[in-house]
Amino acid sequence: MVAYVRFYPTDWRSGCLGLSLEQEGLYIRVCAYVYETGLRLPIDDRQAAKFMGVHTNAYRKVRDQLVTLGKVVQTATGYTVPRAERELGAAADAHAGQTTRAVDPHKERSPVPGTIGHTPLDTPLDTPLDTRGVFSKKPNENYARSGTKNQNQKVKSSVARRGSRLAADWSLPDDWRSWARVTFPHATDAMVADQADRFRDYWHAKAGQAACKLDWQATWRNWCRTGLATAPVRAATNVAPWEAEKQRKQREWMDLVNALPGGAA
């Protein structure tokens, strides 16, 4: 689909903190598959596992973990990485825009056939054919803008980099809670809720520039690594959330069977 993609080490490392080697390995393979083919990973586990080059059981296990963490999303047509789809669409839209401008700058741009999506993204002022992560066919070095616009970009970039305080009505989002439960399986719901209360009170009470953050979700992850990594382990077995849910459903099923005339027999 694309000749090459830009790789931001800081974005990648901050987005993958807390992932195991298996999780990060499968995640980057899924990203590469979406970028290379412009398609979603098949719903069929055996077929998808072949594309990923792993055993079906291993693929299914780690894939479900990535879905729980929100890194991979399941759709009706397959598994995908939302950011990869957005950037593929933006690259296709930028490429189509280049062709359209040569004919009629006011004509609506048409998407390139075969791409997943065509949602445009804001691009830097000095890279008109570039997206945040995907290049079009021609490198941006050939399309440098004037120095004045570069200065405008620096001003906009400075504004965009300003942090913000934690919202006054902040409460722990569900995906943040799920990340904490999966990353720290020993942590109970009560322990995560307690950390959320501490997190909110601490940052609401803190004054000055230090209380402003660019990425509050990353701040929450770092907070959990300190607050939950040293928390006491539950006396019960260390069971992942999805496994605990499976066991709960099995117990409910056995309760229904036992309630029938004659019981399990």
Side-chain angles (χ1 to χ4, degrees), residues 137-239:
K137 297 298 182 181
K138 296 184 179 180
N140 63 317
E141 287 81 359
N142 296 332
Y143 295 90
R145 297 290 187 88
S146 65
T148 302
K149 293 184 178 180
N150 287 338
Q151 292 176 1
N152 293 337
Q153 178 198 0
K154 293 179 181 179
V155 173
K156 289 186 177 182
S157 176
S158 175
V159 173
R161 295 291 295 176
R162 291 179 183 173
S164 62
R165 293 186 62 90
L166 188 66
D169 59 347
W170 181 87
S171 61
L172 185 63
D174 291 339
D175 56 332
W176 297 21
R177 187 190 311 276
S178 298
W179 178 88
R181 289 301 310 278
V182 172
T183 306
F184 305 98
H186 64 272
T188 63
D189 286 333
M191 292 167 63
V192 175
D194 178 66
Q195 289 298 322
D197 291 340
R198 293 172 181 268
F199 180 83
R200 181 184 59 250
D201 293 344
Y202 177 85
W203 291 110
H204 281 170
K206 194 171 183 63
Q209 186 63 30
C212 295
K213 300 296 180 182
L214 290 172
D215 187 340
W216 279 108
Q217 186 173 5
T219 305
W220 163 253
R221 292 196 295 264
N222 287 330
W223 180 277
C224 289
R225 293 184 185 102
T226 301
L228 293 177
T230 58
V233 179
R234 288 182 289 180
T237 181
N238 187 7
V239 180

